Amino acid sequence: VARLTGVSTATVTRALQGHPRVLPATRQRVEESASKLGYRPDRLARTLVTGVSQTIGLVIPSSGDAFWGEVVDGFEQQAVDAGFSLVLGLAHGDPERERRMLELLLEKRVDGIVVAAPAGTPRDLHGLVGTTAPLVLVTWDATATPEELDRAVRDPVHEVIASLAASGAGGAWFAHVTTDDIGGSAALVRHLIELGHERIALLAGPALRPAVLRLLGYRVALEEAGLAPGAILTSAETFEAGVEMARELLSARVPPTAIVAYNDVVAIGAIRGARDLGLHVPGDVSIVGFDDIEFASYVDPALTTLRWPKREMGRLAIELLLQGLDGRDEPMTEALAGELVVRSSTAPPPARPAT
Amino acid sequence: VARLTGVSTATVTRALQGHPRVLPATRQRVEESASKLGYRPDRLARTLVTGVSQTIGLVIPSSGDAFWGEVVDGFEQQAVDAGFSLVLGLAHGDPERERRMLELLLEKRVDGIVVAAPAGTPRDLHGLVGTTAPLVLVTWDATATPEELDRAVRDPVHEVIASLAASGAGGAWFAHVTTDDIGGSAALVRHLIELGHERIALLAGPALRPAVLRLLGYRVALEEAGLAPGAILTSAETFEAGVEMARELLSARVPPTAIVAYNDVVAIGAIRGARDLGLHVPGDVSIVGFDDIEFASYVDPALTTLRWPKREMGRLAIELLLQGLDGRDEPMTEALAGELVVRSSTAPPPARPAT
DNA sequence: CTGAAAGCGCTTACAG
DNA sequence: CTGAAAGCGCTTACAG
C-alpha cells in the first residue's frame, strides 16, 4: 500500500497513528502519499492484533417501536461520541433469535453488548456471553408468575417490595439500567388523587416485571391516601387492548373516574374506548400512560403521562458498558426516575351525579 | 485453540466449515473438542483472508422516526435471512456526520452500504464510496430550488415530469429504491375528488424532491378532473407545522374542503389545527396524509392515508445490494407503489350553505 | 483425507 | 527516529 512511497509499513502505522517519535517531515510525506492513494486503514486487521474492535453489539426487541426508537438515539449518540460503532440486531421477542444474534456478535468480536428488554432470562444471557464481553441490560421484562402477580395485588406492599429487593434482579452478573417503575407509578397516581379521584383503575399490562412494579407503585400511592385499589386488569400492551379494557372498565356498574394505563399506546387506546362509550376525556374519565412517546402530545386530548428519560437511558447504558471495558466489574443497577408530564387527559372527576 | 485436540488448524477449519473431504470420524472429534472448549471462530480473521465480512452498513436519518423505524425492520429481516449483520449509523440530517459514518463503515470493511434519505448529494456519496462497495439509496431527498418548485406549480405538468425524468435522479451510479410519489399523490387526490371535493389544498412539506413529486401528482389528478389547484403551502414536516398551516388555510375567505398533507404527522397536526378552529373532521374538512405510520390508525378520526410498503422497501434495498455483491452492476431504480387506505378522516364535503 | 506453509493487513516490541 | 521480524486467527492452494 502506502509503502511504495518511501518507508516501511511500521513507519506508516506510526505516522498515521500520531506516534510521538516520527520526524514531522516523514509524517508529512506519509500523509501525502496516503491521501494520494486514497488509503483507508483496515480496521479489521487492526482489531486482530490489538484485540479491540471499537464496536458494540446492540440487540433490541424491534425497531418500529416508538419507545425503543428513542432509546436507540441515545445508544448511538454516546457510542459514536466514544468512537464506537453499533451493530444492530432485532430479537422480535424470540429468545432463540436473540441467542443467535448474541452468538454472532461474539464471533464478530464486539467489545461489549447491550441488550434491551431481553427475551431470554438473565441467566441464559450470562451463560452465553459469560466473561467474554461486558454486558448491560436495559430494562428487564422477566415474566411474572401468577403467584407473584397475586402477591403484588394482595400482600402488604412493603413486604412485596422488600422481597423483590432481596431476590435482586435475578442476576448480579452485569450492569442493568431500568426505570423507577414503582416511583413513577406512584407519582402518576398521586397526581390523580390530588385532582380528587377516588376510584382509580389500573390497566396493568402483560404479566411482566414492570407491570408488577407499576402495580406496586399504584398501591403505595393509594395506601398513602387511604384509598382502596380499584379494578386491576392484565392484558397485552397494545392499542386494541386499551380500547377493549377501557370499555370493560367503564361499563361497570360503578366505573372508575380515572384509569392508569400500562403505557401511552394502551392509554391512547383507552381514550378511544372511552369515546366509543360516548364518554368525554377528561370530563368523564381521566386517563394516563407511561413513556411519553412522541405521539402522546399529538393525540387529542394530549396525554398526561410519566416520561422516562429515554435518550438518557441509552446514553447511560453505553457509559456503563464503557466502564466495564475499562475494567470496572462490580455489577450495578441504575433505576432512572421518570418525570410527570401533565397535559390534557386528566382533570378533576365529574361532580357526583345528584342522587 | 482446538488444535490441542489432535489435528492441524487446517483440518479444524475444514471440519467446521463442512468441507466434503474430511473423515466423519475426525469431524466428529473436532466438533466435540470445539464444543468442549466453547470455541467461537473469529470472523474478523476470516474476513481478513476471505475478503467478505457478511456485514452491511446502514445509515438512516434517525431512529426515533415512525417511518424509518418500520423500514429498518425490513432491512434487518432481509439482511439476517441472508446471513448478514447490520452496522447502524444515524446521520441526523448532517452531511458531515454522514460522511464520517460512511468512511468508518468502509474502514470496517462492510460488504455494502445502504443509506436512507441521504443528507449528502448522490455525487458526494458516490465520490466517497466509489467502487469500493455496492451502494443503495432508499429515497432521495434532493433539495428542490425555488425555481423548480415554481415550475412544478406553474408549468404544464407533463413537461415538468418529462424534464425530471430526463435529468434522472442525478446519479446513475447506484441502485435506488423510492416511492411512486406522483402516483400515490394522484390516488389520494382522486379519492377526494370522488367524494365530491372541489377545493383541495396541499400542505406541500419542505422544498425537497418528494414534495415536488407529490405536488405534481396532485396537479395530475386535478387536471384529469378539470379542477383548479387550491392553495399550496410549503413548510417543515412537523406536527406543529401541520397545526399552523391548517389554521391558516382554514381561516381563508373561501377555505378548502379537503387538505392533502405532506405526511401523516403533518396531517395529524392539521386535524388538530382544524379542531382549534372549531371545525369537525371529516364533517367540515377532510384531511389525508402519506406513509401510514402506526399512529395513523390510532388517532381520532383514524387517518385516510397513502401507505408505502415500508418493510418491503427495506427488504428490496437489501436484495438489490446483495445482487450488487453478486456482480450485478447496472444501476437501477425501483419506485414502489403506495396503497390508498381509506379510514375516517375523509368524507364528502359539507353541503353548500344555502346562500 | 490431512498437514506444512504462506498470507490477509495491520501493530508492536526489539534492535539499531 | 526507523526498519526487520514476528504474530493476531483464520483460510487456501500445494503436497503428500
Side-chain angles (χ1 to χ4, degrees), chain B residues 1-77:
Chain B
V1 198
R3 295 88 213 243
L4 325 174
T5 63
V7 292
S8 75
T9 72
T11 304
V12 171
T13 294
R14 288 188 279 247
L16 262 28
Q17 304 283 304
H19 188 101
R21 279 197 298 250
V22 270
L23 282 181
T26 83
R27 163 165 299 143
Q28 171 88 352
R29 280 193 301 135
V30 171
E31 283 171 352
E32 275 172 12
S33 17
S35 82
K36 187 183 307 168
L37 268 55
Y39 168 69
R40 282 209 189 85
D42 183 325
R43 296 197 180 239
L44 297 191
R46 173 200 252 262
T47 296
L48 195 58
V49 26
T50 62
V52 324
S53 61
Q54 297 277 94
T55 298
I56 295 174
L58 173 62
V59 5
I60 63 175
S62 144
S63 72
D65 184 279
F67 182 82
W68 290 114
E70 269 191 64
V71 179
V72 168
D73 264 336
F75 288 135
E76 206 262 358
Q77 190 72 257

Side-chain angles (χ1 to χ4, degrees), chain B residues 144-206:
Chain B
T145 63
E147 295 76 48
E148 287 169 325
L149 265 178
D150 204 55
R151 281 201 65 192
V153 174
R154 285 175 224 302
D155 287 7
V157 175
H158 62 276
E159 272 184 24
V160 184
I161 292 180
S163 90
L164 273 179
S167 74
W173 312 297
F174 29 60
H176 186 187
V177 358
T178 4
T179 46
D180 174 18
D181 290 285
I182 296 183
S185 182
L188 228 29
V189 175
R190 283 189 202 111
H191 164 66
L192 293 169
I193 293 173
E194 277 165 22
L195 250 20
H197 291 275
E198 299 186 345
R199 291 198 309 281
I200 304 173
L202 180 69
L203 299 187

Side-chain angles (χ1 to χ4, degrees), chain A residues 318-333:
Chain A
I318 299 294
E319 207 178 296
L320 293 183
L321 194 69
L322 295 182
Q323 288 183 13
L325 287 176
D326 281 350
R328 192 177 184 307
D329 66 347
E330 322 93 78
M332 54 183 306
T333 116

Side-chain angles (χ1 to χ4, degrees), chain A residues 8 10-11 14 21-23 26 48:
Chain A
S8 75
T11 304
R14 287 187 280 245
R21 279 198 296 249
V22 271
L23 283 181
T26 84
L48 195 58

